[in-house]
Amino acid sequence: MQEQPIERPELTKNPLFLVSPFFFLGTAMVVMKFIIPNTTPLFLAAFRLLPAGLLILLVAAYLKLPQPKTWQAWLWIGLFALVDGVMFQGFLTTGLVHTGAGIGAVLIDAQPLVVALLSRWLFAEIIGFWGWLGLFIGILGICLCGLPESWLYDLFDGGIDVADVIASGGQLTVSSILESGELLMVLAALFMSLGTIIVRYVKEYADPLVATGWHMILGGIPLMVMSWFWETNQISNLQLNDWLGLSYATIFGTAITYGIFFYLAATGNITSVSALIFLTPVFALLFSNLLLDEQLTILQWIGVGFTLISVYLVNQRMEISRGLSALKAATVIAETPRE
């Protein structure tokens, strides 16, 4: 039997509510980069999920939200846990070992294009000219933020040879793939995209907030087991500041972020919600600058600007289209000669 939807306050139009999960996620990426040298990636992923899932379920119990009751609900939650819990979080933290917080956030945030394509195919969501333009500008923006500047300047000068770049990569091996932080972040983005789509099916059988909590717990358990068997010294090197960072990454970067993001994904337009994730690398780069004293380059500042423009275009695409149509109609009426 399908769960009855729960009435909630209209929050999807509140700008602070919309932006908050991406602020927390971007700053959590910076915090995790501080922590990762003193712990292990699978333990970090599991520690983010398990307490956060418990916190969300406690909130759900306080709000008296219904627990999943059907096998279909648990099946979708289990798939959600595998894709967005185990795979996304595992690739994210493992990739963070081999790449920076800023570029990691940039690469993960390529996922709105995948979400937009899948949403167009599965849910017939309208993207339109302005939406596609916004997505293209967003991809361009994150490329300017994260790709090596030597590549970008060579590309601008017309001197980059893609074949030479591929050939210079050497022999592709499993070891080289696992040590490529950039590739692992792209895989994380793919699984995050699939998780964003799956939550639409989850909400048909379970409350999305409750399902989010359970998927964290069910996804965190395999990660903790894998960490137990494959990793060592998970907590022996952690200091007080590391535990405080873990707490921030768990409560704000995971529990609150996931709760808000998947609430929005389940109740709003997936393409619009997913496009807001372009804000994550903006926050990650800015706070990397503040905390690590890293200066943004001119290209990165341009990329930040493009990212903000892309968020506006994708989320306001319907209003822009209606406004231009109304302006065109008014122009036609004004130019029509009167008898």
Side-chain angles (χ1 to χ4, degrees), residues 176-187:
S176 66
I177 291 175
L178 293 177
E179 292 177 359
S180 172
E182 290 78 13
L183 179 57
L184 292 174
M185 288 298 184
V186 170
L187 291 174

Side-chain angles (χ1 to χ4, degrees), residues 166-196:
I166 296 175
S168 65
Q171 185 177 4
L172 187 63
T173 64
V174 174
S175 177
S176 66
I177 291 175
L178 293 177
E179 292 177 359
S180 172
E182 290 78 13
L183 179 57
L184 292 174
M185 288 298 184
V186 170
L187 291 174
L190 174 61
F191 282 105
M192 185 180 183
S193 302
L194 295 175
T196 305

Side-chain angles (χ1 to χ4, degrees), residues 31 39 52 108 110 115 130 177 240 243 274 300 338-339:
V31 171
T39 185
I108 283 178
V115 172
W130 295 106
I177 291 175
L240 176 60
W243 286 109
S274 183
Q300 286 176 325
R338 298 179 180 180
E339 295 183 1

Side-chain angles (χ1 to χ4, degrees), residues 139-189:
I139 295 297
L140 179 60
I142 62 176
C143 286
L144 291 174
C145 288
L147 290 179
E149 291 203 359
S150 60
W151 290 12
L152 296 171
Y153 284 119
D154 287 343
L155 182 62
F156 296 153
D157 294 337
I160 193 170
D161 190 328
V162 176
D164 289 343
V165 172
I166 296 175
S168 65
Q171 185 177 4
L172 187 63
T173 64
V174 174
S175 177
S176 66
I177 291 175
L178 293 177
E179 292 177 359
S180 172
E182 290 78 13
L183 179 57
L184 292 174
M185 288 298 184
V186 170
L187 291 174

Side-chain angles (χ1 to χ4, degrees), residues 55-74:
L55 285 173
I56 288 179
L57 289 180
L58 289 174
V59 171
Y62 174 77
L63 297 175
K64 298 181 180 180
L65 302 179
Q67 292 293 317
K69 296 181 176 65
T70 66
W71 67 267
Q72 294 100 327
W74 287 110

Side-chain angles (χ1 to χ4, degrees), residues 167-331:
S168 65
Q171 185 177 4
L172 187 63
T173 64
V174 174
S175 177
S176 66
I177 291 175
L178 293 177
E179 292 177 359
S180 172
E182 290 78 13
L183 179 57
L184 292 174
M185 288 298 184
V186 170
L187 291 174
L190 174 61
F191 282 105
M192 185 180 183
S193 302
L194 295 175
T196 305
I197 295 296
I198 289 172
V199 76
R200 271 291 182 93
Y201 296 96
V202 172
K203 77 161 189 173
E204 297 297 324
Y205 301 97
D207 181 90
L209 187 64
V210 174
T212 298
W214 277 115
H215 108 281
M216 289 181 177
I217 292 177
L218 296 178
I221 292 173
L223 288 168
M224 188 62 78
V225 171
M226 288 188 288
S227 174
W228 177 270
F229 283 104
W230 296 343
E231 298 177 334
T232 58
N233 299 320
Q234 290 94 328
I235 63 174
S236 58
N237 296 321
L238 292 175
Q239 305 297 319
L240 176 60
N241 287 340
D242 298 317
W243 286 109
L244 292 175
L246 278 171
S247 299
Y248 178 84
T250 298
I251 297 172
F252 291 94
T254 307
I256 295 177
T257 293
Y258 266 61
I260 295 176
F261 179 77
F262 287 114
Y263 169 81
L264 292 172
T267 59
N269 181 290
I270 282 186
T271 303
S272 296
V273 171
S274 183
L276 281 170
I277 204 167
F278 281 138
L279 291 172
T280 303
V282 175
F283 292 124
L285 287 165
L286 289 176
F287 279 89
S288 293
N289 170 259
L290 291 174
L291 299 177
L292 302 176
D293 198 27
E294 295 178 354
Q295 300 299 316
L296 294 178
T297 66
I298 294 177
L299 288 181
Q300 286 176 325
W301 278 117
I302 295 174
V304 168
F306 281 177
T307 299
L308 295 174
I309 292 172
S310 77
V311 171
Y312 175 80
L313 288 177
V314 173
N315 284 278
Q316 299 296 318
R317 62 189 186 279
M318 302 304 293
E319 287 76 7
I320 293 174
S321 295
R322 284 194 291 265
L324 290 176
S325 297
L327 179 62
K328 182 178 179 180
T331 302

